[in-house]
Amino acid sequence: SSALTFASYVEYILGSVSSAVVNTTGLLFSVLPMLGARTSFPSALGAMHDAGKVAMRDWSKGKYAALHQELDSRGLLSHTVAREALERGKTKGSDFDGVFFKATKLLSVPFAESEKYIRATTAIAAYELAMKQGVPSEGVPANNPMAAVEFAAKIVRDAHTGGMAETMPRWAQGNFGRVIWTFKNIVLQQTFVLALAMKRAFYD
């Protein structure tokens, strides 16, 4: 299971800049509808635009320190699909010390960084929207940092998944499911999230 998962990762993602670029479209097709449906599309678009600029810098200190710390402690910022594929099946310290592992980790930088970027952008945008105007549909009041952090964590998890196989649907957690659905599960989950967001936007 681990070997086949890694093989599919090598074939489709490793060293691919195009995969990294395409991955960022999740902000437009998943995150914008989710935030827009809960607030308004103009305000969500503006918040995401500003958040994207912040996400390109080190935002672990200052205004967003508490947000960064909380999301990082939950594995919502750095536990990416790239990391999951690279580290699956490795049990010894020596597994992470070889030239092959270091080379594949280096080639994984484009996709891994794109994942970190979209997660950071999502978190910051959700936090700012919650702080400035609140999210009544989620019971989140404005100017409440703790509630805003919780809302941001929820949006990151819903839009991009938890990043770990253990948080996937039960049918995707077995050996067969892990091989077949390693990457497609993200597409399926984001499709569901997008459909739910559109329903909320137009029918709820």
Side-chain angles (χ1 to χ4, degrees), residues 11-37:
E11 181 178 3
Y12 293 109
I13 290 181
L14 190 65
S16 174
V17 175
S18 61
S19 293
V21 173
V22 170
N23 192 42
T24 61
T25 61
L27 290 170
L28 178 63
F29 294 112
S30 291
V31 181
L32 180 59
M34 292 175 67
L35 293 178

mmCIF file with all atom_site columns, all heavy atoms in Angstrom, residues 11-37:
data_model
loop_
_atom_site.group_PDB
_atom_site.id
_atom_site.type_symbol
_atom_site.label_atom_id
_atom_site.label_alt_id
_atom_site.label_comp_id
_atom_site.label_asym_id
_atom_site.label_entity_id
_atom_site.label_seq_id
_atom_site.pdbx_PDB_ins_code
_atom_site.Cartn_x
_atom_site.Cartn_y
_atom_site.Cartn_z
_atom_site.occupancy
_atom_site.B_iso_or_equiv
_atom_site.pdbx_formal_charge
_atom_site.auth_seq_id
_atom_site.auth_comp_id
_atom_site.auth_asym_id
_atom_site.auth_atom_id
_atom_site.pdbx_PDB_model_num
ATOM 1   N N   . GLU A 1 11 ? 4.582   9.634  -9.901  1.00 0.00 ? 11 GLU A N   1
ATOM 2   C CA  . GLU A 1 11 ? 4.129   9.750  -11.290 1.00 0.00 ? 11 GLU A CA  1
ATOM 3   C C   . GLU A 1 11 ? 3.380   11.046 -11.566 1.00 0.00 ? 11 GLU A C   1
ATOM 4   O O   . GLU A 1 11 ? 3.574   11.672 -12.615 1.00 0.00 ? 11 GLU A O   1
ATOM 5   C CB  . GLU A 1 11 ? 3.231   8.569  -11.639 1.00 0.00 ? 11 GLU A CB  1
ATOM 6   C CG  . GLU A 1 11 ? 2.731   8.603  -13.082 1.00 0.00 ? 11 GLU A CG  1
ATOM 7   C CD  . GLU A 1 11 ? 1.886   7.401  -13.428 1.00 0.00 ? 11 GLU A CD  1
ATOM 8   O OE1 . GLU A 1 11 ? 1.641   6.557  -12.538 1.00 0.00 ? 11 GLU A OE1 1
ATOM 9   O OE2 . GLU A 1 11 ? 1.455   7.305  -14.599 1.00 0.00 ? 11 GLU A OE2 1
ATOM 10  N N   . TYR A 1 12 ? 2.542   11.469 -10.640 1.00 0.00 ? 12 TYR A N   1
ATOM 11  C CA  . TYR A 1 12 ? 1.657   12.590 -10.931 1.00 0.00 ? 12 TYR A CA  1
ATOM 12  C C   . TYR A 1 12 ? 2.064   13.928 -10.329 1.00 0.00 ? 12 TYR A C   1
ATOM 13  O O   . TYR A 1 12 ? 1.683   14.976 -10.850 1.00 0.00 ? 12 TYR A O   1
ATOM 14  C CB  . TYR A 1 12 ? 0.236   12.261 -10.439 1.00 0.00 ? 12 TYR A CB  1
ATOM 15  C CG  . TYR A 1 12 ? -0.416  11.148 -11.202 1.00 0.00 ? 12 TYR A CG  1
ATOM 16  C CD1 . TYR A 1 12 ? -0.601  9.906  -10.597 1.00 0.00 ? 12 TYR A CD1 1
ATOM 17  C CD2 . TYR A 1 12 ? -0.821  11.308 -12.523 1.00 0.00 ? 12 TYR A CD2 1
ATOM 18  C CE1 . TYR A 1 12 ? -1.200  8.863  -11.299 1.00 0.00 ? 12 TYR A CE1 1
ATOM 19  C CE2 . TYR A 1 12 ? -1.414  10.276 -13.230 1.00 0.00 ? 12 TYR A CE2 1
ATOM 20  C CZ  . TYR A 1 12 ? -1.607  9.062  -12.615 1.00 0.00 ? 12 TYR A CZ  1
ATOM 21  O OH  . TYR A 1 12 ? -2.182  8.030  -13.292 1.00 0.00 ? 12 TYR A OH  1
ATOM 22  N N   . ILE A 1 13 ? 2.810   13.916 -9.234  1.00 0.00 ? 13 ILE A N   1
ATOM 23  C CA  . ILE A 1 13 ? 3.044   15.165 -8.519  1.00 0.00 ? 13 ILE A CA  1
ATOM 24  C C   . ILE A 1 13 ? 4.519   15.525 -8.343  1.00 0.00 ? 13 ILE A C   1
ATOM 25  O O   . ILE A 1 13 ? 4.891   16.699 -8.429  1.00 0.00 ? 13 ILE A O   1
ATOM 26  C CB  . ILE A 1 13 ? 2.351   15.114 -7.134  1.00 0.00 ? 13 ILE A CB  1
ATOM 27  C CG1 . ILE A 1 13 ? 0.831   15.172 -7.337  1.00 0.00 ? 13 ILE A CG1 1
ATOM 28  C CG2 . ILE A 1 13 ? 2.815   16.237 -6.226  1.00 0.00 ? 13 ILE A CG2 1
ATOM 29  C CD1 . ILE A 1 13 ? 0.051   15.146 -6.043  1.00 0.00 ? 13 ILE A CD1 1
ATOM 30  N N   . LEU A 1 14 ? 5.358   14.546 -8.079  1.00 0.00 ? 14 LEU A N   1
ATOM 31  C CA  . LEU A 1 14 ? 6.758   14.836 -7.726  1.00 0.00 ? 14 LEU A CA  1
ATOM 32  C C   . LEU A 1 14 ? 7.442   15.695 -8.797  1.00 0.00 ? 14 LEU A C   1
ATOM 33  O O   . LEU A 1 14 ? 7.499   15.327 -9.966  1.00 0.00 ? 14 LEU A O   1
ATOM 34  C CB  . LEU A 1 14 ? 7.530   13.529 -7.549  1.00 0.00 ? 14 LEU A CB  1
ATOM 35  C CG  . LEU A 1 14 ? 8.929   13.671 -6.937  1.00 0.00 ? 14 LEU A CG  1
ATOM 36  C CD1 . LEU A 1 14 ? 8.825   14.179 -5.508  1.00 0.00 ? 14 LEU A CD1 1
ATOM 37  C CD2 . LEU A 1 14 ? 9.666   12.350 -6.964  1.00 0.00 ? 14 LEU A CD2 1
ATOM 38  N N   . GLY A 1 15 ? 7.935   16.842 -8.396  1.00 0.00 ? 15 GLY A N   1
ATOM 39  C CA  . GLY A 1 15 ? 8.672   17.731 -9.285  1.00 0.00 ? 15 GLY A CA  1
ATOM 40  C C   . GLY A 1 15 ? 7.814   18.482 -10.274 1.00 0.00 ? 15 GLY A C   1
ATOM 41  O O   . GLY A 1 15 ? 8.338   19.190 -11.135 1.00 0.00 ? 15 GLY A O   1
ATOM 42  N N   . SER A 1 16 ? 6.486   18.378 -10.165 1.00 0.00 ? 16 SER A N   1
ATOM 43  C CA  . SER A 1 16 ? 5.589   19.010 -11.134 1.00 0.00 ? 16 SER A CA  1
ATOM 44  C C   . SER A 1 16 ? 5.159   20.392 -10.666 1.00 0.00 ? 16 SER A C   1
ATOM 45  O O   . SER A 1 16 ? 4.392   20.524 -9.715  1.00 0.00 ? 16 SER A O   1
ATOM 46  C CB  . SER A 1 16 ? 4.362   18.117 -11.361 1.00 0.00 ? 16 SER A CB  1
ATOM 47  O OG  . SER A 1 16 ? 3.429   18.777 -12.186 1.00 0.00 ? 16 SER A OG  1
ATOM 48  N N   . VAL A 1 17 ? 5.624   21.407 -11.356 1.00 0.00 ? 17 VAL A N   1
ATOM 49  C CA  . VAL A 1 17 ? 5.221   22.772 -11.038 1.00 0.00 ? 17 VAL A CA  1
ATOM 50  C C   . VAL A 1 17 ? 3.778   23.000 -11.469 1.00 0.00 ? 17 VAL A C   1
ATOM 51  O O   . VAL A 1 17 ? 3.018   23.715 -10.805 1.00 0.00 ? 17 VAL A O   1
ATOM 52  C CB  . VAL A 1 17 ? 6.157   23.786 -11.726 1.00 0.00 ? 17 VAL A CB  1
ATOM 53  C CG1 . VAL A 1 17 ? 5.671   25.216 -11.496 1.00 0.00 ? 17 VAL A CG1 1
ATOM 54  C CG2 . VAL A 1 17 ? 7.585   23.622 -11.214 1.00 0.00 ? 17 VAL A CG2 1
ATOM 55  N N   . SER A 1 18 ? 3.382   22.380 -12.582 1.00 0.00 ? 18 SER A N   1
ATOM 56  C CA  . SER A 1 18 ? 2.015   22.559 -13.072 1.00 0.00 ? 18 SER A CA  1
ATOM 57  C C   . SER A 1 18 ? 0.996   22.034 -12.064 1.00 0.00 ? 18 SER A C   1
ATOM 58  O O   . SER A 1 18 ? -0.071  22.630 -11.870 1.00 0.00 ? 18 SER A O   1
ATOM 59  C CB  . SER A 1 18 ? 1.833   21.849 -14.421 1.00 0.00 ? 18 SER A CB  1
ATOM 60  O OG  . SER A 1 18 ? 2.064   20.455 -14.300 1.00 0.00 ? 18 SER A OG  1
ATOM 61  N N   . SER A 1 19 ? 1.307   20.904 -11.402 1.00 0.00 ? 19 SER A N   1
ATOM 62  C CA  . SER A 1 19 ? 0.405   20.371 -10.384 1.00 0.00 ? 19 SER A CA  1
ATOM 63  C C   . SER A 1 19 ? 0.261   21.354 -9.229  1.00 0.00 ? 19 SER A C   1
ATOM 64  O O   . SER A 1 19 ? -0.829  21.513 -8.667  1.00 0.00 ? 19 SER A O   1
ATOM 65  C CB  . SER A 1 19 ? 0.927   19.029 -9.855  1.00 0.00 ? 19 SER A CB  1
ATOM 66  O OG  . SER A 1 19 ? 0.873   18.038 -10.853 1.00 0.00 ? 19 SER A OG  1
ATOM 67  N N   . ALA A 1 20 ? 1.371   21.994 -8.891  1.00 0.00 ? 20 ALA A N   1
ATOM 68  C CA  . ALA A 1 20 ? 1.333   22.979 -7.804  1.00 0.00 ? 20 ALA A CA  1
ATOM 69  C C   . ALA A 1 20 ? 0.467   24.172 -8.177  1.00 0.00 ? 20 ALA A C   1
ATOM 70  O O   . ALA A 1 20 ? -0.319  24.670 -7.358  1.00 0.00 ? 20 ALA A O   1
ATOM 71  C CB  . ALA A 1 20 ? 2.756   23.436 -7.480  1.00 0.00 ? 20 ALA A CB  1
ATOM 72  N N   . VAL A 1 21 ? 0.593   24.633 -9.418  1.00 0.00 ? 21 VAL A N   1
ATOM 73  C CA  . VAL A 1 21 ? -0.192  25.782 -9.876  1.00 0.00 ? 21 VAL A CA  1
ATOM 74  C C   . VAL A 1 21 ? -1.675  25.431 -9.914  1.00 0.00 ? 21 VAL A C   1
ATOM 75  O O   . VAL A 1 21 ? -2.525  26.188 -9.437  1.00 0.00 ? 21 VAL A O   1
ATOM 76  C CB  . VAL A 1 21 ? 0.283   26.240 -11.269 1.00 0.00 ? 21 VAL A CB  1
ATOM 77  C CG1 . VAL A 1 21 ? -0.650  27.322 -11.811 1.00 0.00 ? 21 VAL A CG1 1
ATOM 78  C CG2 . VAL A 1 21 ? 1.707   26.765 -11.192 1.00 0.00 ? 21 VAL A CG2 1
ATOM 79  N N   . VAL A 1 22 ? -1.995  24.263 -10.471 1.00 0.00 ? 22 VAL A N   1
ATOM 80  C CA  . VAL A 1 22 ? -3.389  23.827 -10.547 1.00 0.00 ? 22 VAL A CA  1
ATOM 81  C C   . VAL A 1 22 ? -3.978  23.676 -9.145  1.00 0.00 ? 22 VAL A C   1
ATOM 82  O O   . VAL A 1 22 ? -5.154  23.976 -8.913  1.00 0.00 ? 22 VAL A O   1
ATOM 83  C CB  . VAL A 1 22 ? -3.507  22.502 -11.321 1.00 0.00 ? 22 VAL A CB  1
ATOM 84  C CG1 . VAL A 1 22 ? -4.906  21.912 -11.192 1.00 0.00 ? 22 VAL A CG1 1
ATOM 85  C CG2 . VAL A 1 22 ? -3.158  22.717 -12.787 1.00 0.00 ? 22 VAL A CG2 1
ATOM 86  N N   . ASN A 1 23 ? -3.158  23.236 -8.206  1.00 0.00 ? 23 ASN A N   1
ATOM 87  C CA  . ASN A 1 23 ? -3.627  23.041 -6.835  1.00 0.00 ? 23 ASN A CA  1
ATOM 88  C C   . ASN A 1 23 ? -4.146  24.333 -6.215  1.00 0.00 ? 23 ASN A C   1
ATOM 89  O O   . ASN A 1 23 ? -5.080  24.315 -5.411  1.00 0.00 ? 23 ASN A O   1
ATOM 90  C CB  . ASN A 1 23 ? -2.488  22.466 -5.982  1.00 0.00 ? 23 ASN A CB  1
ATOM 91  C CG  . ASN A 1 23 ? -2.961  21.977 -4.633  1.00 0.00 ? 23 ASN A CG  1
ATOM 92  O OD1 . ASN A 1 23 ? -4.005  21.341 -4.523  1.00 0.00 ? 23 ASN A OD1 1
ATOM 93  N ND2 . ASN A 1 23 ? -2.192  22.259 -3.599  1.00 0.00 ? 23 ASN A ND2 1
ATOM 94  N N   . THR A 1 24 ? -3.553  25.461 -6.594  1.00 0.00 ? 24 THR A N   1
ATOM 95  C CA  . THR A 1 24 ? -3.969  26.741 -6.020  1.00 0.00 ? 24 THR A CA  1
ATOM 96  C C   . THR A 1 24 ? -5.362  27.166 -6.494  1.00 0.00 ? 24 THR A C   1
ATOM 97  O O   . THR A 1 24 ? -5.968  28.049 -5.892  1.00 0.00 ? 24 THR A O   1
ATOM 98  C CB  . THR A 1 24 ? -2.966  27.859 -6.358  1.00 0.00 ? 24 THR A CB  1
ATOM 99  O OG1 . THR A 1 24 ? -2.895  28.032 -7.778  1.00 0.00 ? 24 THR A OG1 1
ATOM 100 C CG2 . THR A 1 24 ? -1.584  27.529 -5.814  1.00 0.00 ? 24 THR A CG2 1
ATOM 101 N N   . THR A 1 25 ? -5.875  26.548 -7.577  1.00 0.00 ? 25 THR A N   1
ATOM 102 C CA  . THR A 1 25 ? -7.220  26.901 -8.041  1.00 0.00 ? 25 THR A CA  1
ATOM 103 C C   . THR A 1 25 ? -8.285  26.473 -7.034  1.00 0.00 ? 25 THR A C   1
ATOM 104 O O   . THR A 1 25 ? -9.443  26.879 -7.146  1.00 0.00 ? 25 THR A O   1
ATOM 105 C CB  . THR A 1 25 ? -7.533  26.256 -9.409  1.00 0.00 ? 25 THR A CB  1
ATOM 106 O OG1 . THR A 1 25 ? -7.481  24.829 -9.287  1.00 0.00 ? 25 THR A OG1 1
ATOM 107 C CG2 . THR A 1 25 ? -6.521  26.708 -10.457 1.00 0.00 ? 25 THR A CG2 1
ATOM 108 N N   . GLY A 1 26 ? -7.894  25.645 -6.054  1.00 0.00 ? 26 GLY A N   1
ATOM 109 C CA  . GLY A 1 26 ? -8.822  25.272 -4.995  1.00 0.00 ? 26 GLY A CA  1
ATOM 110 C C   . GLY A 1 26 ? -9.336  26.485 -4.237  1.00 0.00 ? 26 GLY A C   1
ATOM 111 O O   . GLY A 1 26 ? -10.442 26.466 -3.677  1.00 0.00 ? 26 GLY A O   1
ATOM 112 N N   . LEU A 1 27 ? -8.538  27.555 -4.221  1.00 0.00 ? 27 LEU A N   1
ATOM 113 C CA  . LEU A 1 27 ? -8.974  28.785 -3.556  1.00 0.00 ? 27 LEU A CA  1
ATOM 114 C C   . LEU A 1 27 ? -10.191 29.372 -4.260  1.00 0.00 ? 27 LEU A C   1
ATOM 115 O O   . LEU A 1 27 ? -11.128 29.864 -3.616  1.00 0.00 ? 27 LEU A O   1
ATOM 116 C CB  . LEU A 1 27 ? -7.838  29.814 -3.551  1.00 0.00 ? 27 LEU A CB  1
ATOM 117 C CG  . LEU A 1 27 ? -6.648  29.505 -2.642  1.00 0.00 ? 27 LEU A CG  1
ATOM 118 C CD1 . LEU A 1 27 ? -5.512  30.476 -2.913  1.00 0.00 ? 27 LEU A CD1 1
ATOM 119 C CD2 . LEU A 1 27 ? -7.062  29.547 -1.177  1.00 0.00 ? 27 LEU A CD2 1
ATOM 120 N N   . LEU A 1 28 ? -10.196 29.308 -5.573  1.00 0.00 ? 28 LEU A N   1
ATOM 121 C CA  . LEU A 1 28 ? -11.294 29.869 -6.353  1.00 0.00 ? 28 LEU A CA  1
ATOM 122 C C   . LEU A 1 28 ? -12.516 28.965 -6.357  1.00 0.00 ? 28 LEU A C   1
ATOM 123 O O   . LEU A 1 28 ? -13.651 29.432 -6.194  1.00 0.00 ? 28 LEU A O   1
ATOM 124 C CB  . LEU A 1 28 ? -10.828 30.127 -7.789  1.00 0.00 ? 28 LEU A CB  1
ATOM 125 C CG  . LEU A 1 28 ? -11.874 30.666 -8.771  1.00 0.00 ? 28 LEU A CG  1
ATOM 126 C CD1 . LEU A 1 28 ? -12.367 32.042 -8.316  1.00 0.00 ? 28 LEU A CD1 1
ATOM 127 C CD2 . LEU A 1 28 ? -11.287 30.751 -10.171 1.00 0.00 ? 28 LEU A CD2 1
ATOM 128 N N   . PHE A 1 29 ? -12.282 27.668 -6.531  1.00 0.00 ? 29 PHE A N   1
ATOM 129 C CA  . PHE A 1 29 ? -13.401 26.750 -6.724  1.00 0.00 ? 29 PHE A CA  1
ATOM 130 C C   . PHE A 1 29 ? -13.962 26.161 -5.432  1.00 0.00 ? 29 PHE A C   1
ATOM 131 O O   . PHE A 1 29 ? -15.091 25.666 -5.425  1.00 0.00 ? 29 PHE A O   1
ATOM 132 C CB  . PHE A 1 29 ? -12.988 25.616 -7.667  1.00 0.00 ? 29 PHE A CB  1
ATOM 133 C CG  . PHE A 1 29 ? -12.699 26.095 -9.056  1.00 0.00 ? 29 PHE A CG  1
ATOM 134 C CD1 . PHE A 1 29 ? -11.411 26.053 -9.566  1.00 0.00 ? 29 PHE A CD1 1
ATOM 135 C CD2 . PHE A 1 29 ? -13.705 26.616 -9.847  1.00 0.00 ? 29 PHE A CD2 1
ATOM 136 C CE1 . PHE A 1 29 ? -11.143 26.508 -10.851 1.00 0.00 ? 29 PHE A CE1 1
ATOM 137 C CE2 . PHE A 1 29 ? -13.449 27.068 -11.133 1.00 0.00 ? 29 PHE A CE2 1
ATOM 138 C CZ  . PHE A 1 29 ? -12.160 27.023 -11.635 1.00 0.00 ? 29 PHE A CZ  1
ATOM 139 N N   . SER A 1 30 ? -13.198 26.193 -4.358  1.00 0.00 ? 30 SER A N   1
ATOM 140 C CA  . SER A 1 30 ? -13.686 25.636 -3.095  1.00 0.00 ? 30 SER A CA  1
ATOM 141 C C   . SER A 1 30 ? -13.848 26.689 -2.010  1.00 0.00 ? 30 SER A C   1
ATOM 142 O O   . SER A 1 30 ? -14.906 26.797 -1.389  1.00 0.00 ? 30 SER A O   1
ATOM 143 C CB  . SER A 1 30 ? -12.733 24.539 -2.592  1.00 0.00 ? 30 SER A CB  1
ATOM 144 O OG  . SER A 1 30 ? -12.787 23.412 -3.428  1.00 0.00 ? 30 SER A OG  1
ATOM 145 N N   . VAL A 1 31 ? -12.786 27.449 -1.778  1.00 0.00 ? 31 VAL A N   1
ATOM 146 C CA  . VAL A 1 31 ? -12.790 28.377 -0.644  1.00 0.00 ? 31 VAL A CA  1
ATOM 147 C C   . VAL A 1 31 ? -13.692 29.574 -0.879  1.00 0.00 ? 31 VAL A C   1
ATOM 148 O O   . VAL A 1 31 ? -14.463 29.965 0.009   1.00 0.00 ? 31 VAL A O   1
ATOM 149 C CB  . VAL A 1 31 ? -11.357 28.842 -0.332  1.00 0.00 ? 31 VAL A CB  1
ATOM 150 C CG1 . VAL A 1 31 ? -11.359 29.796 0.862   1.00 0.00 ? 31 VAL A CG1 1
ATOM 151 C CG2 . VAL A 1 31 ? -10.463 27.644 -0.044  1.00 0.00 ? 31 VAL A CG2 1
ATOM 152 N N   . LEU A 1 32 ? -13.633 30.181 -2.056  1.00 0.00 ? 32 LEU A N   1
ATOM 153 C CA  . LEU A 1 32 ? -14.460 31.359 -2.328  1.00 0.00 ? 32 LEU A CA  1
ATOM 154 C C   . LEU A 1 32 ? -15.954 31.067 -2.186  1.00 0.00 ? 32 LEU A C   1
ATOM 155 O O   . LEU A 1 32 ? -16.667 31.840 -1.521  1.00 0.00 ? 32 LEU A O   1
ATOM 156 C CB  . LEU A 1 32 ? -14.156 31.908 -3.727  1.00 0.00 ? 32 LEU A CB  1
ATOM 157 C CG  . LEU A 1 32 ? -14.957 33.146 -4.134  1.00 0.00 ? 32 LEU A CG  1
ATOM 158 C CD1 . LEU A 1 32 ? -14.723 34.289 -3.151  1.00 0.00 ? 32 LEU A CD1 1
ATOM 159 C CD2 . LEU A 1 32 ? -14.594 33.569 -5.557  1.00 0.00 ? 32 LEU A CD2 1
ATOM 160 N N   . PRO A 1 33 ? -16.468 29.971 -2.751  1.00 0.00 ? 33 PRO A N   1
ATOM 161 C CA  . PRO A 1 33 ? -17.898 29.680 -2.533  1.00 0.00 ? 33 PRO A CA  1
ATOM 162 C C   . PRO A 1 33 ? -18.235 29.440 -1.064  1.00 0.00 ? 33 PRO A C   1
ATOM 163 O O   . PRO A 1 33 ? -19.300 29.850 -0.596  1.00 0.00 ? 33 PRO A O   1
ATOM 164 C CB  . PRO A 1 33 ? -18.125 28.409 -3.368  1.00 0.00 ? 33 PRO A CB  1
ATOM 165 C CG  . PRO A 1 33 ? -17.069 28.441 -4.400  1.00 0.00 ? 33 PRO A CG  1
ATOM 166 C CD  . PRO A 1 33 ? -15.882 29.042 -3.726  1.00 0.00 ? 33 PRO A CD  1
ATOM 167 N N   . MET A 1 34 ? -17.325 28.776 -0.340  1.00 0.00 ? 34 MET A N   1
ATOM 168 C CA  . MET A 1 34 ? -17.589 28.495 1.070   1.00 0.00 ? 34 MET A CA  1
ATOM 169 C C   . MET A 1 34 ? -17.674 29.780 1.889   1.00 0.00 ? 34 MET A C   1
ATOM 170 O O   . MET A 1 34 ? -18.589 29.959 2.699   1.00 0.00 ? 34 MET A O   1
ATOM 171 C CB  . MET A 1 34 ? -16.501 27.587 1.638   1.00 0.00 ? 34 MET A CB  1
ATOM 172 C CG  . MET A 1 34 ? -16.515 26.179 1.081   1.00 0.00 ? 34 MET A CG  1
ATOM 173 S SD  . MET A 1 34 ? -15.126 25.201 1.671   1.00 0.00 ? 34 MET A SD  1
ATOM 174 C CE  . MET A 1 34 ? -15.542 25.062 3.399   1.00 0.00 ? 34 MET A CE  1
ATOM 175 N N   . LEU A 1 35 ? -16.727 30.685 1.685   1.00 0.00 ? 35 LEU A N   1
ATOM 176 C CA  . LEU A 1 35 ? -16.725 31.939 2.438   1.00 0.00 ? 35 LEU A CA  1
ATOM 177 C C   . LEU A 1 35 ? -17.789 32.891 1.922   1.00 0.00 ? 35 LEU A C   1
ATOM 178 O O   . LEU A 1 35 ? -18.437 33.600 2.704   1.00 0.00 ? 35 LEU A O   1
ATOM 179 C CB  . LEU A 1 35 ? -15.344 32.591 2.362   1.00 0.00 ? 35 LEU A CB  1
ATOM 180 C CG  . LEU A 1 35 ? -14.205 31.848 3.062   1.00 0.00 ? 35 LEU A CG  1
ATOM 181 C CD1 . LEU A 1 35 ? -12.878 32.572 2.864   1.00 0.00 ? 35 LEU A CD1 1
ATOM 182 C CD2 . LEU A 1 35 ? -14.497 31.687 4.555   1.00 0.00 ? 35 LEU A CD2 1
ATOM 183 N N   . GLY A 1 36 ? -17.960 32.914 0.606   1.00 0.00 ? 36 GLY A N   1
ATOM 184 C CA  . GLY A 1 36 ? -18.963 33.800 0.014   1.00 0.00 ? 36 GLY A CA  1
ATOM 185 C C   . GLY A 1 36 ? -20.368 33.457 0.442   1.00 0.00 ? 36 GLY A C   1
ATOM 186 O O   . GLY A 1 36 ? -21.198 34.344 0.673   1.00 0.00 ? 36 GLY A O   1
ATOM 187 N N   . ALA A 1 37 ? -20.658 32.167 0.559   1.00 0.00 ? 37 ALA A N   1
ATOM 188 C CA  . ALA A 1 37 ? -21.990 31.737 0.971   1.00 0.00 ? 37 ALA A CA  1
ATOM 189 C C   . ALA A 1 37 ? -22.280 32.106 2.412   1.00 0.00 ? 37 ALA A C   1
ATOM 190 O O   . ALA A 1 37 ? -23.442 32.312 2.788   1.00 0.00 ? 37 ALA A O   1
ATOM 191 C CB  . ALA A 1 37 ? -22.122 30.221 0.792   1.00 0.00 ? 37 ALA A CB  1
#
